[in-house]
């Protein structure tokens, strides 16, 4: 049985204009994150963005990379090994492909670059064997995330006043 730990609440709005730029405002944090299109994602939508920005799928790749980095860093630090930027660096690469006419993130590959004391190598290798199962993002993606939605639609009259229709 699952135990609720937190509800992640994010308000997302599309910026005005003919662009694919969205702003995501995480509850409790003052700065919104901007997402858009660039590269192959822009080409897929046949767009030439004035302001190329990371796509929503880039953020998924970053979330997996960030979680896995944190998991590895925690395992290293628990063993008395530094996880400072000059000792641990992670490159995350996501394959965004067209599958059945849809754009899909099909594969995420991580490359860890570690500098560890020689006498700690075996301990680090053991930690790496088990770290992935401790990453909430990787586990969530692997297990499949249930996505559901509902809508509330308000109709505006020609004069601009709102009329609500319930169904």
């Amino acid at each position: 049985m699952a135990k609720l730990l937190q509800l992640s609440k994010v308000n997302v709005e599309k910026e005005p204009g003919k662009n694919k730029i969205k702003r995501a405002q995480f509850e409790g944090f003052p700065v919104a994150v901007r997402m858009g299109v660039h590269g192959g994602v822009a080409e897929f939508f046949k767009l030439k963005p004035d302001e190329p920005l990371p796509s929503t799928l880039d953020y998924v790749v970053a979330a997996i990379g960030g979680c896995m980095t944190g998991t590895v860093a925690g395992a290293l630090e628990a063993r008395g090994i530094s996880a400072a930027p000059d000792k641990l660096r992670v490159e995350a690469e996501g394959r965004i492909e067209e599958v059945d006419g849809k754009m899909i993130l099909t594969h995420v590959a991580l490359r860890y670059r570690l500098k560890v004391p020689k006498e700690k190598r075996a301990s680090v290798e053991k930690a790496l064997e088990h770290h992935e199962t401790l990453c909430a993002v990787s586990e969530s993606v692997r297990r499949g995330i249930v996505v559901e939605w509902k809508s509330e639609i308000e109709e505006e009259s020609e004069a601009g006043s709102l009329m609500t229709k319930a169904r």
Side-chain angles (χ1 to χ4, degrees), residues 57 60-62 64-65 92-95 105-110 141-142:
L57 292 172
V60 174
V61 173
I64 293 169
E93 182 177 272
R95 292 184 56 88
L105 176 63
T106 60
H107 183 95
V108 175
L110 303 174
V141 170
R142 285 185 185 281

Side-chain angles (χ1 to χ4, degrees), residues 53-110:
L53 291 168
S55 73
T56 52
L57 292 172
D58 292 321
Y59 279 93
V60 174
V61 173
I64 293 169
C67 185
M68 296 284 280
T69 300
T71 304
V72 168
L76 293 175
E77 291 166 345
R79 289 163 173 77
I81 302 167
S82 174
D86 64 326
K87 304 293 184 188
L88 170 64
R89 188 164 159 250
V90 182
E91 298 165 4
E93 182 177 272
R95 292 184 56 88
I96 300 169
E97 300 180 307
E98 183 177 334
V99 179
D100 298 328
K102 297 176 184 172
M103 185 176 13
I104 306 286
L105 176 63
T106 60
H107 183 95
V108 175
L110 303 174

Side-chain angles (χ1 to χ4, degrees), residues 99-157:
V99 179
D100 298 328
K102 297 176 184 172
M103 185 176 13
I104 306 286
L105 176 63
T106 60
H107 183 95
V108 175
L110 303 174
R111 181 177 187 170
Y112 298 117
R113 296 182 182 270
L114 301 112
K115 292 181 183 174
V116 301
K118 187 175 184 176
E119 68 276 6
K120 299 276 189 167
R121 183 183 183 110
S123 179
V124 170
E125 288 176 348
K126 184 172 179 146
L128 286 171
E129 288 177 23
H130 304 287
H131 81 286
E132 185 175 6
T133 61
L134 301 173
C135 170
V137 178
S138 174
E139 282 292 297
S140 297
V141 170
R142 285 185 185 281
R143 292 179 184 211
I145 302 168
V146 174
V147 177
E148 56 186 34
W149 62 274
K150 61 183 175 181
S151 66
E152 295 176 14
I153 300 172
E154 293 184 15
E155 294 180 358
E156 295 180 320
S157 69

